[in-house]
Amino acid sequence: MQWLAEFSAFQASLMLAALAAGYGWGIVHFRSLRIVADLLVAGNMRAIALQIARLAVLLGLFLVMSQAGALVLISGAIGLILARARVLSRDVTMP
């Protein structure tokens, strides 16, 4: 229970910021996946650069969050997962 004593309003604000950042970047990240797929299907090799850029930004975001601690990193990951669910729920098409 020592971690609870060390929990502060600053830590909570970092977690909230990480949740928002993860969600915001997640929306961009998963929406741009369709663009990457379309470019790959069309044979455009710019898709590879776009994919690397998407992953690099995601890695950088999570590296910054990891410097603030595990709870902040987990909050960012939760934001990313929520964004993924939102983007996928909007892109579902019935055959």
Side-chain angles (χ1 to χ4, degrees):
M1 292 307 248
Q2 183 179 0
W3 67 270
L4 188 57
E6 296 175 6
F7 192 76
S8 66
F10 180 69
Q11 183 75 12
S13 66
L14 285 177
M15 289 172 60
L16 186 59
L19 181 72
Y23 185 79
W25 178 249
I27 294 291
V28 172
H29 181 77
F30 290 111
R31 282 189 179 167
S32 65
L33 185 58
R34 178 178 296 274
I35 297 167
V36 169
D38 291 341
L39 288 173
L40 277 174
V41 168
N44 191 337
M45 290 299 113
R46 287 186 341 188
I48 295 171
L50 181 57
Q51 179 67 13
I52 290 170
R54 288 173 62 241
L55 293 175
V57 171
L58 187 62
L59 175 65
L61 184 66
F62 280 134
L63 284 174
V64 168
M65 288 179 195
S66 71
Q67 297 300 311
L71 291 176
V72 175
L73 181 62
I74 291 169
S75 297
I78 290 170
L80 187 77
I81 291 168
L82 291 173
R84 179 183 177 270
R86 178 169 180 218
V87 170
L88 289 179
S89 69
R90 293 182 68 188
D91 286 343
V92 173
T93 57
M94 300 303 284

